[in-house]
Amino acid sequence: MAVGLFAACSSEDDLEPSGYEQDLFNMENLKDGDNIDKARYQFWKETGIAVFFNDTIGTQERTDVFGKKYTHYQTLSFVQSLGMMSGDAVTELMVVNEIPREHQLEALEGLSWIRSDLLPILQSGGTKITSLYLVDELRTGSSSSYDGTTFETLFFKGLNTIALARASQFNTMSVTEKNQFKADVAKNMYVDVVMDSKYESLIEQFKAISVAVEIAGTWAHLYTPWYYYWNVARYTTVTTTQDAGFLDLDPDPQYNGMCLPASVRNDVMMYIGEIMSTTEAEFNEKWSSYSRIMQKAEIIRSILKEIGAL
């Protein structure tokens, strides 16, 4: 056995690199390229994060076990990372419209905003980011869709990349649009962690704050799909959506902007987005008149602090 082990070690020491170990997330080779390459190189040098405009990030000539040569296409992985999912657990990236070469430099002008505003959210809690995939449009299939349509999303977390939509517009977005983008990123990054069974009792408290306004004996219960906003005054002890503890109506397109949050999960997502896209002072200034919102926000804020997101 000892002889065998020695022989194995010796032959392994004599092995030469196959070339398959090439790190395609290393942007060093771009430093002497054109303006687009140099911008990608500079961002990688400063952050350690590679920026791509194409999901095929490189090719390698390889040889299979039968000695036949073939071209291997290295692509970004859109398998979702556990605990960091975008939308429903079965959400799948369906459609991607990439940014054409002539508009990529415009998109790269938004890297300063990505670095100052999005990276603190993306990297909070110690999340390691390998790369960013900048595109014009992302669409996903969702189990909540009754007709199988695809919905636009601004953010998608894959295994080795994060896809960001509307990238060519980053440099021209209004403050409101940028805050909405940040909220979308934050809620999709952290909803599964916040909804983990570890925090079940806190989420029950969160839910109970709004459920408490229901009028006993009525057929209408909050967190039911198709609970229309005009039912609030009829079936609860309050008169407005915000008085009931809801930031807004359910954002899912299938509810046509007329329904209260159809699930506790959707309600939690909205709170995560609002909390992480504003400062605490800004949040308080906007919502301090609504006691239930402030109570629910404190619960979500405590979870986000515990997981290191705040």
Side-chain angles (χ1 to χ4, degrees):
M1 288 179 63
V3 172
L5 287 172
F6 177 78
C9 291
S10 296
S11 58
E12 184 173 314
D13 290 339
D14 294 336
L15 291 177
E16 294 183 0
S18 64
Y20 299 171
E21 305 82 4
Q22 180 184 354
D23 181 4
L24 296 175
F25 296 94
N26 185 314
M27 301 283 101
E28 190 72 37
N29 64 314
L30 299 182
K31 64 180 178 181
D32 296 321
D34 61 14
N35 289 338
I36 293 175
D37 288 346
K38 287 178 180 177
R40 293 171 60 204
Y41 165 77
Q42 190 61 36
F43 187 79
W44 170 78
K45 194 71 175 177
E46 295 171 354
T47 65
I49 300 170
V51 174
F52 297 105
F53 291 104
N54 192 299
D55 64 347
T56 300
I57 60 177
T59 61
Q60 291 176 331
E61 295 303 316
R62 295 186 175 183
T63 304
D64 63 21
V65 293
F66 302 105
K68 184 178 179 180
K69 293 186 179 297
Y70 69 98
T71 300
H72 169 75
Y73 294 89
Q74 181 66 44
T75 60
L76 296 173
S77 174
F78 293 106
V79 175
Q80 291 173 325
S81 179
L82 294 178
M84 292 289 187
M85 293 187 178
S86 174
D88 296 335
V90 296
T91 297
E92 180 183 357
L93 196 60
M94 303 288 287
V95 178
V96 173
N97 288 331
E98 295 183 338
I99 300 173
R101 182 76 177 179
E102 60 267 24
H103 296 301
Q104 290 178 5
L105 197 57
E106 299 171 28
L108 292 171
E109 291 174 358
L111 287 179
S112 59
W113 177 68
I114 291 177
R115 183 172 182 177
S116 63
D117 285 54
L118 292 188
L119 285 189
I121 294 175
L122 295 172
Q123 294 178 313
S124 58
T127 303
K128 179 175 174 54
I129 303 171
T130 303
S131 67
L132 296 177
Y133 178 38
L134 304 185
V135 300
D136 268 334
E137 184 179 37
L138 292 171
R139 289 190 175 272
T140 61
S142 172
S143 63
S144 64
S145 171
Y146 59 89
D147 60 2
T149 59
T150 58
F151 295 136
E152 182 183 9
T153 184
L154 303 180
F155 166 91
F156 191 93
K157 174 72 169 67
L159 192 61
N160 63 3
T161 192
I162 288 177
L164 299 174
R166 302 185 186 174
S168 58
Q169 303 171 32
F170 286 170
N171 214 37
T172 58
M173 279 184 180
S174 67
V175 173
T176 300
E177 290 172 326
K178 287 181 176 179
N179 283 339
Q180 182 57 52
F181 198 104
K182 288 164 58 178
D184 191 79
V185 167
K187 67 188 182 185
N188 283 292
M189 278 287 290
Y190 292 105
V191 63
D192 288 290
V193 183
V194 173
M195 293 294 290
D196 187 90
S197 58
K198 177 181 179 180
Y199 304 109
E200 184 175 356
S201 62
L202 287 173
I203 297 302
E204 283 299 316
Q205 294 175 36
F206 172 90
K207 173 184 176 181
I209 291 170
S210 287
V211 171
V213 306
E214 294 178 356
I215 296 176
T218 68
W219 65 270
H221 297 284
L222 299 177
Y223 297 116
T224 301
W226 306 108
Y227 191 113
Y228 295 103
Y229 63 86
W230 57 74
N231 289 340
V232 174
R234 183 181 302 178
Y235 298 113
T236 73
T237 59
V238 297
T239 58
T240 71
T241 298
Q242 288 72 32
D243 286 328
F246 299 117
L247 297 174
D248 208 338
L249 304 179
D250 198 296
D252 193 317
Q254 70 169 308
Y255 298 116
N256 301 317
M258 296 188 293
C259 300
L260 270 60
S263 66
V264 177
R265 178 191 175 87
N266 287 3
D267 194 13
V268 168
M269 287 181 75
M270 294 166 72
Y271 270 87
I272 294 172
E274 185 75 359
I275 289 170
M276 294 196 67
S277 64
T278 61
T279 65
E280 190 167 354
E282 289 170 340
F283 186 96
N284 293 343
E285 181 179 359
K286 184 176 180 179
W287 301 109
S288 60
S289 299
Y290 303 100
S291 60
R292 291 181 181 84
I293 287 179
M294 296 302 291
Q295 292 171 41
K296 291 171 71 174
E298 187 54 38
I299 292 172
I300 301 303
R301 197 181 296 277
S302 70
I303 299 174
L304 291 171
K305 287 180 179 178
E306 183 171 332
I307 65 178
L310 287 179

